Amino acid sequence: MTQQNHLRGALLASSACILWGISGVAASTLFINNPHLTAMWLTQVRMISAGLILLVWGMVAGKHPFKIWHHRHAAWTAVSYGLLGLIPVQLCYFEAVRVGNAPIATIIQFLGPFIISIYYFLFKHVTPSRIELIGMIMAFIGTLLIVTHGHLNSLAISPVILFWGGLSAIGVATNTLIPRTILPKYGALTVTGWGLLIAGLFLTLLQPMWRVHLTITWPQLGLLIVIILLGTVAPFLMFARSLSDILPTTASLMDAFEPLAATVFSITFLNVQLTSFDFIGGLLIILAVMALSLNTHKMLHFLRRRRAHSSS
């Protein structure tokens, strides 16, 4: 791996995370300018459109996306990924943005890796390392500062924001854990494309989006296209491409650019006011997740060793 390739991979991964952060700001702008717009409708349009684009892209690239339906386990995993992974990570995130703002919603969602660490501790019996424990404490303190602004007897943000943001953080964990068994065989393009399409169609069955009467202006349509193309399709392709140049642990460190981008663009374009507690709490959470990401490869190596030992 050359230095030039490493730089290219880092730029692709960081740019993808910045675009994900911008998509949250674009969604917040839509909710502000169109009160009739719901998180459910926006999620449905985003998922179905992006899913179809990724699947068509996969067919053009010769990935044979329909092969996943030839195997029952892979098919059920793809369905579970869409319903239990992508729906909470996208619908609940947009709900948190709608009732709150993009920076706070993104920062709370950023706690997802710690839920993964707790899952490995409870169900895989992987004891957290010292750096992980320190990271968890930092993340807890950071979250506490954001939620209470230093006043432990009251909440500084609405419990509704905390509820939807917490569900989106759980979604980050399920979104990461569920598809890991089928990704090596079928590829991220196919798995994500089907997951998005299945999730979008399922939400449409629950609440048909054509029954929602909306008046979309041209600027709002432009923001919708930004969310679909620049906030979903493009960053996914860029992040997937970056993994051929850099390690997954390095790519995961670039996730810090997502809450940073959401914060900067929200302050610049939406005049969102954040307190010093929000900044300090967000910084603590970002640093904690970066520390956890640096230690992820050790946890995965330990799991591989345990799996090899148990099968021998």
Side-chain angles (χ1 to χ4, degrees):
M1 185 183 299
T2 65
Q3 184 176 357
Q4 183 178 0
N5 288 348
H6 189 274
L7 177 61
R8 179 179 62 190
L11 288 174
L12 284 171
S14 58
S15 298
C17 294
I18 290 172
L19 289 176
W20 276 319
I22 292 175
S23 72
V25 179
S28 184
T29 306
L30 280 176
F31 291 134
I32 293 172
N33 294 328
N34 195 332
H36 299 289
L37 185 69
T38 65
M40 173 70 82
W41 186 88
L42 182 58
T43 304
Q44 291 168 339
V45 173
R46 179 192 195 186
M47 284 181 161
I48 293 174
S49 302
L52 287 173
I53 291 172
L54 291 175
L55 290 173
V56 171
W57 191 295
M59 285 189 286
V60 173
K63 302 296 183 181
H64 306 290
F66 286 94
K67 280 188 175 181
I68 197 171
W69 300 108
H70 297 168
H71 301 88
R72 182 177 299 178
H73 169 73
W76 277 112
T77 303
V79 172
S80 301
Y81 171 52
L83 301 185
L84 302 178
L86 289 170
I87 286 180
V89 82
Q90 296 202 20
L91 176 61
C92 296
Y93 171 72
F94 276 157
E95 283 287 3
V97 171
R98 185 183 66 83
V99 299
N101 58 61
I104 298 300
T106 307
I107 289 172
I108 294 176
Q109 186 188 59
F110 208 58
L111 293 169
F114 290 99
I115 297 176
I116 296 175
S117 186
I118 292 171
Y119 164 81
Y120 276 115
F121 173 70
L122 293 177
F123 299 101
K124 302 294 184 179
H125 307 294
V126 178
T127 304
S129 64
R130 180 179 300 176
I131 189 65
E132 287 175 314
L133 290 174
I134 294 174
M136 289 181 183
I137 295 172
M138 289 173 60
F140 175 77
I141 295 173
T143 305
L144 198 64
L145 287 175
I146 293 173
V147 171
T148 67
H149 284 182
H151 302 286
L152 299 181
N153 59 341
S154 62
L155 291 178
I157 64 174
S158 168
V160 178
I161 302 174
L162 192 60
F163 173 76
W164 289 114
L167 287 181
S168 71
I170 294 174
V172 169
T174 55
N175 179 69
T176 303
L177 294 171
I178 292 175
R180 70 191 190 281
T181 58
I182 60 174
L183 279 171
K185 183 175 182 179
Y186 298 98
L189 199 64
T190 294
V191 174
T192 305
W194 281 118
L196 285 168
L197 184 58
I198 291 167
L201 292 176
F202 176 79
L203 292 178
T204 301
L205 290 176
L206 294 180
Q207 183 179 314
M209 57 181 166
W210 54 82
R211 292 183 181 176
V212 179
H213 300 289
L214 285 174
T215 300
I216 303 291
T217 64
W218 285 108
Q220 292 170 7
L221 180 61
L223 286 173
L224 187 59
I225 293 174
V226 166
I227 291 172
I228 295 170
L229 296 181
L230 295 183
T232 309
V233 176
F236 162 75
L237 295 173
M238 293 166 66
F239 198 85
R241 176 64 181 83
S242 72
L243 295 178
S244 63
D245 294 325
I246 58 178
L247 296 173
T249 48
T250 305
S252 64
L253 291 176
M254 303 301 165
D255 286 344
F257 282 97
E258 184 175 349
L260 289 175
T263 300
V264 170
F265 282 93
S266 292
I267 293 174
T268 304
F269 295 104
L270 299 181
N271 198 29
V272 171
Q273 301 296 321
L274 298 178
T275 69
S276 57
F277 289 104
D278 295 323
F279 283 110
I280 296 172
L283 180 61
L284 283 174
I285 292 173
I286 290 171
L287 292 175
V289 173
M290 292 177 68
L292 179 65
S293 299
L294 285 171
N295 206 51
T296 300
H297 69 285
K298 294 182 180 179
M299 180 175 66
L300 294 177
H301 177 67
F302 178 78
L303 285 174
R304 284 194 292 267
R305 286 183 59 188
R306 284 198 56 177
R307 189 178 298 113
H309 178 73
S310 61
S311 61
S312 60

